[in-house]
Structure formats: structure tokens, C-alpha cells
Amino acid sequence: MINKIIDKEAFKAVLKDDMTIMFGGFMACGTSDVLVEAICESGIKNITAICNDAGFEDRGLGKIIKNGQVKKLYASHIGLNPLVGKMMSEGMLEVELSPQGTLVERIRCAGAGLGGVLTPTGLDTDVELGKCIIKVQGKKYLLEEPLRADLAVIRGRYVDRLGNVVYEGTARNFNPVMATAADLVVAGADEIVETGKLGQECIATPHVLVDYIVKEEI
Amino acid sequence: MKELIAKRVAKELHDGDLVNLGIGLPTLVANYIPEDIQIYLQSENGLIGLGPEPTKEEFNRNIANAGGVPVTVLKGGMFFDSAFSFALIRGGHVDVTVLGALQVDQNGNLANWIIPGKLVPGMGGAMDLVTGSKTVIIAMTHTNKGEPKILKKCTLPLTAKGQVDMIITEMGVMKITKEGIVLTEINPEYTVEDVRNATEAELIIDDGLKRMEI
């Protein structure tokens, strides 16, 4: 059986400049601390980051942004991280904002092999600029295109040795969707348990999607 | 003043409603839910059954609201991922969404996510919530320090077009109709003239104008 459990140093070896990286989590709740730390330490540059928000300056994706490693950010909300707004207006960071429901559906599409999603959200607003409008059953929708990544960084409360993930509370958020939409999926695990220990109905991300597991330092 | 607005919004909720409350003033509505009804609060980051702030013992860093603030979950509550959360929202399963506004206009258009060149917080879940919820209530102060927010036409970039159903401010209750904005209730501390002066949009006064229920 393949051993998926690696340490922080081994994770750094998969990191490269110019990567597109998805970060699970919502205001840092459900974002892997150990993997964020590793990315900061690796010093890789020109990251395109996909995350619901910009986290906080000192927690979540915000740490990597503060470190100047991110070139472009796809997010739905950046208001709770003032530094990001400042970097954006100074031209140090490119930000593309999507409605939250659209952002998650774009990721879901990529992971589900679909060519896009038709949503009424954003019609008649700036969000529709440059996008295709399609009429279905008499109603107008915006075509929103899939969003994929080279790497997805997710976090589980419990991960078994095989890579099955169980989330806790609202820390689930974007994590299971992102686990379907990247070439490489690495899960930070609060606890790593023996295979067979997790309730089969509770597993929200099947092990086949997870390439590596790194223990969170808590 | 905020409490007064929140109290009045709470009266619009019905037994069994699934409700999403925005950050800030709308959050206060949860403190005034009538005791004889049960409503279910959704938080778009992935839960139904949002409860009050946790005690030290109840605190769990994996249970937060959409503002990233720790919360509790009530009996019968549950968690789900963001895709499912927005399926609930866009799919029309949320009965009422309550949120603030920078501007609202007489056609039910809402602007609340960006002030170009000044403030770019992003739309978060607001565009989906306003587009998908059955009823959209704007809960806000009537003006921005005297500057009208209820306009003939929004000047800021829109959050959604024609989706607002109702506006509740410290001055009164307004419904958006095909004819325009109808003032249905007024806070007795103000006259109709006061409300008109604080509103840029045409204000239609309801024949049965009532004292604001608080």
C-alpha cells in the first residue's frame, strides 16, 4: 500500500513557482495551518491562489499573501483582510472577485468534468461583463467557467491512513469541493487514524482524491 | 436605533422560515425572534441552526459564522459544504434574507458590495442570497449621516437588479412595488415630511399608513 503520510519538508518538495493553488477554508476556519506554513517557508513565488477569502493577515491564506508570494487571487470576499485591499490598489496583487456561490460552482464544475455552470447570480451587475448569457427555458443565465488548480490544500479533523477525510463543523466549507478539482490534493490532518476507524457514512472526501497527508502541528 | 430596526425586522419572520442574516445590523435580528415561532438560521459557510455565542466550554474553533466569529449550533442543526449551502440559497430554499445596503432604489435594485476606488470588500455570498431568496429585506439606517441611501436609481455598482422586497429603517417600513416605494409604517418620532426629506426616491404613502410596530 502506498504511504500517503509525509512531513512538512516532503510537502515543500512538490511546491513550484507559478503554481495555481486552491485553499480550503472560510476565514481561515478549515484552512491547513501546517501547509500554509510550509508554503511560506518554501518561498515559492507567483502563486495564483483560489480561496473563498483572503483570510487574516496572520492566519490562513493571508499569511502567504502578506509574504508577497501571491500574484493573483480568486476569491469572493477580501474585506476582512485590509492588507489585501491595499496591495490590490497598489497593483501588487491582482484580485478577481466572484460571487461565493459562483466561485464554489466553478470549482465543482472543474472537479465534476463539466464545462461550466449557468447561474442567475450576477446578471445585470458588473459580474456579467465579458461573459456569455444563455437563455434556458425562458430564463437568462450567466455562463461561468470551470476553475482548476495544480494543487489543492485541504484540512480534515480526522484523516485515515488511506486518505479518507472527515470534517468538523463549518471547517468543511470549500474543502471537499476543492479536493475534486486539482491535480494534486494534500490534506492537513488534525488527527491521523487507522483505516477503518472512521464512520463510513461520515467520510466526506473519499481517499481516492487525496494524494498526501500531513499532520497538523497542534 | 439599530435595535429598533432589528426588532421590527424580526416581526416579518414566520414559523418555520429558513433565514439568512447578514453581518452587522441584520445579525441583531436573532435577538428579537418572537417566542411563539421557530425559525432556522442559515450561515452560508455551511450550517443551519445557528445559535448564540459560545461559552468558554462550548467554544470549538471549527464552528464559526460567515464572519469568521465562533458560534454554537442548536439542536437539530447540521453542517454542509459550500456547494450545498449555495444550492440552498440559489435554489430558492431560503425564505428570508436580511442584509444591509449602501444604496437601494425604487426599482428594488441593491448596491452593497463595492465603492469603486474606496472600498472593495467583495460580494461574498450577497449576490447569491439576494438573487435566490424568496424574500429580501434591507435593514439599515435611513441615511448615511444625512446622505440619502434610498434613491431613484442606484449610482454604485449593483449587487442585484430588482430583487429587494422591503426596506426597514429607523424611520419606517417600506415595500417595493411595481408603482414604486410605498411607505406602509412610520415611526411616530418622525413625520411623513421627515421621511420624504431623507429619501431621494419618490415615496408613495400607503392609504392605510400605520404606526411602526416595534
Side-chain angles (χ1 to χ4, degrees), chain A residues 26 29 76-79 88 97-101 104-105 119 121 124-127 155 168-171 173-174 176 190, chain B residues 44-45 47 60-64 66 68 79 81-83 86 90 120-125 127-128 131 157-159 161:
Chain A
F26 196 114
C29 177
S76 78
H77 197 275
I78 55 168
M88 190 170 83
L97 291 165
S98 264
Q100 205 167 100
V104 72
E105 279 300 311
T119 176
T121 304
D124 302 304
T125 75
D126 288 355
V127 170
R155 179 177 191 158
E168 182 180 50
T170 54
N173 54 66
F174 278 67
D190 289 0
Chain B
E44 66 268 26
N45 55 323
L47 79 94
N60 179 337
R61 65 185 175 82
N62 284 330
I63 303 177
F79 303 104
D81 66 56
S82 298
F86 281 87
R90 270 189 322 265
V120 190
M123 65 291 275
M127 283 192 177
D128 297 285
T131 302
L158 295 185
T159 305
K161 189 181 168 186

Side-chain angles (χ1 to χ4, degrees), chain A residues 54-66:
Chain A
F56 301 95
E57 271 184 47
D58 60 348
R59 244 175 79 219
L61 174 60
K63 283 176 86 167
I64 304 173
I65 297 174
K66 192 178 179 182

Side-chain angles (χ1 to χ4, degrees), chain B residues 97-173:
Chain B
T97 199
V98 183
L99 66 179
L102 295 165
Q103 297 177 336
V104 199
D105 72 25
Q106 55 196 32
N107 293 313
N109 299 328
L110 168 67
N112 74 349
W113 72 279
I114 185 172
I115 304 176
K118 268 195 194 161
L119 184 73
V120 190
M123 65 291 275
M127 283 192 177
D128 297 285
L129 280 160
V130 175
T131 302
S133 300
K134 286 183 197 148
T135 303
V136 175
I137 301 176
I138 299 303
M140 63 174 192
T141 53
H142 203 95
T143 65
N144 178 18
K145 295 167 193 145
E147 192 74 25
K149 289 156 80 175
I150 305 172
L151 309 176
K152 288 191 168 74
K153 196 172 191 301
C154 290
T155 55
L156 292 170
L158 295 185
T159 305
K161 189 181 168 186
Q163 298 287 350
V164 176
D165 297 291
M166 197 175 206
I167 307 167
I168 299 179
T169 74
E170 76 282 10
M171 295 185 120
V173 178

Side-chain angles (χ1 to χ4, degrees), chain B:
Chain B
M1 186 154 71
K2 283 180 178 173
E3 285 73 19
L4 179 145
I5 299 167
K7 255 187 193 173
R8 180 58 191 85
V9 172
K11 291 190 192 297
E12 290 301 313
L13 307 178
H14 303 98
D15 203 15
D17 276 354
L18 177 58
V19 179
N20 187 296
L21 301 176
I23 299 173
L25 193 162
T27 307
L28 300 176
V29 174
N31 301 335
Y32 303 104
I33 309 296
E35 275 180 14
D36 56 339
I37 68 166
Q38 179 71 58
I39 65 147
Y40 304 99
L41 292 176
Q42 185 212 22
S43 193
E44 66 268 26
N45 55 323
L47 79 94
I48 289 176
L50 189 64
E53 237 178 90
T55 60
K56 229 177 179 182
E57 293 71 42
E58 287 170 329
F59 171 80
N60 179 337
R61 65 185 175 82
N62 284 330
I63 303 177
N65 66 15
V69 178
V71 291
T72 52
V73 179
L74 304 174
K75 258 186 213 168
M78 83 304 293
F79 303 104
F80 32 81
D81 66 56
S82 298
F84 185 83
S85 194
F86 281 87
L88 284 174
I89 291 167
R90 270 189 322 265
H93 308 285
V94 173
D95 295 293
V96 183
T97 199
V98 183
L99 66 179
L102 295 165
Q103 297 177 336
V104 199
D105 72 25
Q106 55 196 32
N107 293 313
N109 299 328
L110 168 67
N112 74 349
W113 72 279
I114 185 172
I115 304 176
K118 268 195 194 161
L119 184 73
V120 190
M123 65 291 275
M127 283 192 177
D128 297 285
L129 280 160
V130 175
T131 302
S133 300
K134 286 183 197 148
T135 303
V136 175
I137 301 176
I138 299 303
M140 63 174 192
T141 53
H142 203 95
T143 65
N144 178 18
K145 295 167 193 145
E147 192 74 25
K149 289 156 80 175
I150 305 172
L151 309 176
K152 288 191 168 74
K153 196 172 191 301
C154 290
T155 55
L156 292 170
L158 295 185
T159 305
K161 189 181 168 186
Q163 298 287 350
V164 176
D165 297 291
M166 197 175 206
I167 307 167
I168 299 179
T169 74
E170 76 282 10
M171 295 185 120
V173 178
M174 286 140 280
K175 285 187 177 146
I176 312 273
T177 69
K178 273 183 195 146
E179 287 70 40
I181 300 180
V182 181
L183 181 71
T184 58
E185 288 175 34
I186 187 166
N187 180 342
E189 285 185 32
Y190 301 95
T191 64
V192 168
E193 238 9 72
D194 291 336
V195 184
R196 279 216 161 104
N197 288 339
T199 311
E200 191 218 70
E202 300 281 348
L203 208 55
I204 302 167
I205 312 302
D206 192 46
D207 289 342
L209 180 66
K210 284 192 296 195
R211 191 190 161 101
M212 192 172 172
E213 288 179 44
I214 309 154

